[in-house]
Amino acid sequence: MRTQSLFDRQTTVVLSLLAAAAILVPAMNGLALPGSALHLSDHLVPLLGKYVCFALLALSVDLIWGFCGILSLGHGAFFTLGGYAMGMYLMRQIGPRGVYADPVLPDFMVFLDWKELPWFWYGFDWLPFAALMVLLVPGALAFVFGWFAFRSRVTGVYFSIITQAMTFALMLAFFRNDMGLGGNNGLTDFKEILGFPVQAGSTRIVLFVLSVLALAGGYLLCRWVVGSTFGKVLVAIRDAESRTRFLGYRVEHYKLAVFTLSAMLAGVAGALYVPQVGIINPSEFAPANSIEVVIWVAVGGRGTLAGAILGALLVNAGKTWFTAALPEFWLFALGGLFVFVTLFMPRGILGAASDLWERSSQKLRARRSPQSVTHAAE
């Protein structure tokens, strides 16, 4: 099987747009005069950064759903675990500047009368360790969960249900105060990252650029995976799993590998999300959040990668507008959008645009064909 070129037309467009965003957003925030049409206010920078993190999360879901047929309704769990790993690092940076001025224990532990730091908090005062946990914790959970699920050949709707049960169970567990992770309130009141104030405009710009770079890197990684021989096997599993297994491929190994990789990408998205929004709490585990990610991918175009990014950006921009203007209608709008896309655009926005372009090209070629024949005859 031949592999596809990594830098095709779609990749070039995606990377060009991301590069433009990484340049234009800081320029519009720092160089354009306040009040001008080109000025981007400070509160919009972390909002755009949040959208970019959601796009990386959607990309991770498209990798397994669009190319391997694994519909996960619990990817919000991996996103949130990555967020908690980063949140623990940020909490350790507060030190004596907290409300209770304890140099070691976070405020919520002092309030709950904890006497010492739990063992699983050790090392989170060092960013490289926290970054490693951002990858290892979601990856380890996905590996263990996937090992039992794929080995038992759990597929289809049954797999979707147990992933949803997994994230719901984690949400209930993290709500408990004795988990040592802030309980219902979660982790918040962050002060700085690497010595730089989290709320400073320059820090937010850097976090936005890092999020864009992570999205570009994640896209290139996913593009390389799906274009390789490994990716061809994933597509074969999606289209005909029993036949692929009959040909001698260890289907469960391929599924486990791509599921673990996808979870790690989701963890990175969560880690970049937390310092930009300033909080992480158990509500991020809510199954509805994971279902919403699937809607982003479906709207943009399942199995296209670029469509997942597009869907996440468009749906979240619409959510921001709806929840401000018509908050009571947002869930109806989201449900209606999903139904509309399922019925009339099953391949999503990007797939519909591709079909329209192909039909237009065919019509153009059909018009030119009689003319070329006439000229040849003359």
Side-chain angles (χ1 to χ4, degrees):
M1 289 181 283
R2 296 178 60 186
T3 58
Q4 296 177 351
S5 173
L6 180 61
F7 290 96
D8 57 7
R9 181 181 299 176
Q10 183 187 105
T11 302
T12 302
V13 172
V14 170
L15 294 182
S16 298
L17 291 175
L18 291 177
I23 295 171
L24 290 176
V25 169
M28 294 171 67
N29 175 254
L31 300 179
L33 295 175
S36 68
L38 296 178
H39 179 69
L40 195 68
S41 61
D42 288 342
H43 81 274
L44 285 178
V45 174
L47 179 63
L48 294 177
K50 183 175 74 170
Y51 292 169
V52 173
C53 294
F54 286 157
L56 181 57
L57 174 60
L59 190 68
S60 70
V61 172
D62 193 29
L63 177 63
I64 57 171
W65 185 34
F67 294 91
C68 196
I70 302 173
L71 177 57
S72 170
L73 296 181
H75 247 54
F78 308 125
F79 176 84
T80 308
L81 288 173
Y84 264 97
M86 178 56 70
M88 292 168 74
Y89 163 76
L90 295 172
M91 291 297 291
R92 292 299 308 275
Q93 302 307 301
I94 296 175
R97 290 170 295 179
V99 175
Y100 297 99
D102 192 294
V104 177
L105 297 181
D107 284 338
F108 70 87
M109 290 187 185
V110 178
F111 177 77
L112 294 173
D113 199 27
W114 288 59
K115 301 304 182 184
E116 60 182 13
L117 195 70
W119 63 268
F120 52 85
W121 277 78
Y122 293 150
F124 278 98
D125 54 341
W126 191 40
L127 184 58
F129 178 82
L132 183 63
M133 291 301 104
V134 164
L135 296 173
L136 287 185
V137 174
L141 175 62
F143 183 86
V144 173
F145 182 87
W147 172 265
F148 288 105
F150 300 135
R151 189 179 177 202
S152 303
R153 298 190 181 182
V154 178
T155 59
V157 66
Y158 301 104
F159 183 84
S160 302
I161 291 173
I162 63 173
T163 55
Q164 196 170 46
M166 173 192 68
T167 189
F168 187 72
L170 285 171
M171 181 182 70
L172 295 179
F174 274 65
F175 267 120
R176 297 171 58 92
N177 286 327
D178 56 9
M179 280 288 289
L181 292 168
N184 180 61
N185 295 321
L187 308 177
T188 187
D189 194 31
F190 308 133
K191 304 298 184 183
E192 63 181 36
I193 180 170
L194 287 176
F196 299 97
V198 173
Q199 299 298 328
S202 57
T203 305
R204 290 181 170 184
I205 286 293
V206 172
L207 288 170
F208 172 80
V209 173
L210 287 176
S211 300
V212 172
L213 291 176
L215 178 57
Y219 176 83
L220 284 175
L221 176 61
C222 293
R223 198 68 186 170
W224 175 75
V225 168
V226 302
S228 65
T229 302
F230 179 87
K232 304 300 182 186
V233 177
L234 294 181
V235 174
I237 293 172
R238 179 196 68 188
D239 295 339
E241 180 174 335
S242 58
R243 292 184 181 182
T244 306
R245 182 177 282 108
F246 179 76
L247 291 173
Y249 290 99
R250 297 295 298 271
V251 169
E252 58 274 11
H253 290 178
Y254 283 87
K255 283 186 169 183
L256 182 60
V258 74
F259 187 67
T260 304
L261 174 61
S262 174
M264 295 169 76
L265 285 174
V268 172
L272 290 168
Y273 167 84
V274 168
Q276 297 185 82
V277 300
I279 188 172
I280 182 72
N281 59 40
S283 64
E284 298 291 345
F285 281 111
N289 293 346
S290 298
I291 296 173
E292 194 170 328
V293 179
V294 173
I295 296 177
W296 303 343
V297 177
V299 168
R302 172 191 171 195
T304 61
L305 296 182
I309 297 174
L310 178 64
L313 297 177
L314 289 179
V315 175
N316 280 286
K319 181 179 182 179
T320 299
W321 182 87
F322 253 98
T323 51
L326 302 166
E328 64 274 14
F329 294 107
W330 163 241
L331 290 179
F332 296 102
L334 183 64
L337 177 63
F338 184 62
V339 171
F340 176 83
V341 168
T342 302
L343 294 178
F344 301 104
M345 290 193 301
R347 295 181 59 201
I349 294 174
L350 207 62
S354 178
D355 292 341
L356 181 61
W357 176 265
E358 183 63 28
R359 286 196 297 267
S360 300
S361 300
Q362 289 178 354
K363 290 180 180 179
L364 185 60
R365 287 194 295 268
R367 292 194 192 101
R368 290 177 177 176
S369 181
Q371 296 176 1
S372 59
V373 172
T374 303
H375 289 313
E378 292 176 355

